[in-house]
Amino acid sequence: QVQLVESGGGLVQAGGSLRLSCVASGNIVAINLMRWYRQAPGQQRELVGTITRASSPNYADSVKGRFTISTDNAKNTMYLQMNSLKPEDTAVYYCNEVITTRGSTGPYWGKGTLVTVSS
């Protein structure tokens, strides 16, 4: 079994910063692709950014220049550094990773962490 657990969400004023973490645990052989998504109230889930072992991260236009994805491969952890936060960044943030275990390769999701940006 594989689990993804996000943390680091909270309430912050516009212009502030937060750092989210996503820790993967379980029978992990390899983590192939890692993504951050977000879902604002009443809206569809939106891709925030993607990172793989072989490529630099890429970002949605709405967060480019403000958000940074990084990883600590030794800890199976992905981070999302969010700077210059805006009220429209308010959402539940989810990590999504394609993980190879001893038996298979598939996508896994965390349960999300809420980020609220006040104006």
Side-chain angles (χ1 to χ4, degrees), residues 31-35 49-59 69-71 73 78:
I31 300 177
N32 307 299
L33 181 148
M34 293 165 279
R35 290 178 168 144
T50 303
I51 189 169
T52 70
R53 292 183 183 271
S55 64
S56 299
N58 56 71
Y59 303 95
I69 296 174
S70 62
T71 62
N73 294 328
M78 175 176 59

Side-chain angles (χ1 to χ4, degrees), residues 40-111:
Q43 297 190 19
Q44 291 188 332
R45 196 167 292 191
E46 171 192 26
L47 177 62
V48 173
T50 303
I51 189 169
T52 70
R53 292 183 183 271
S55 64
S56 299
N58 56 71
Y59 303 95
D61 288 343
S62 57
V63 306
K64 203 171 293 184
R66 300 188 297 122
F67 290 11
T68 303
I69 296 174
S70 62
T71 62
D72 183 336
N73 294 328
K75 297 181 179 179
N76 288 338
T77 300
M78 175 176 59
Y79 303 98
L80 180 66
Q81 178 67 44
M82 304 186 294
N83 299 328
S84 303
L85 282 161
K86 305 175 181 179
E88 51 263 44
D89 294 318
T90 294
V92 178
Y93 284 72
Y94 300 89
C95 58
N96 165 250
E97 300 185 0
V98 176
I99 295 174
T100 297
T101 65
R102 296 188 188 280
S104 64
T105 297
Y108 294 87
W109 288 88
K111 294 183 178 180

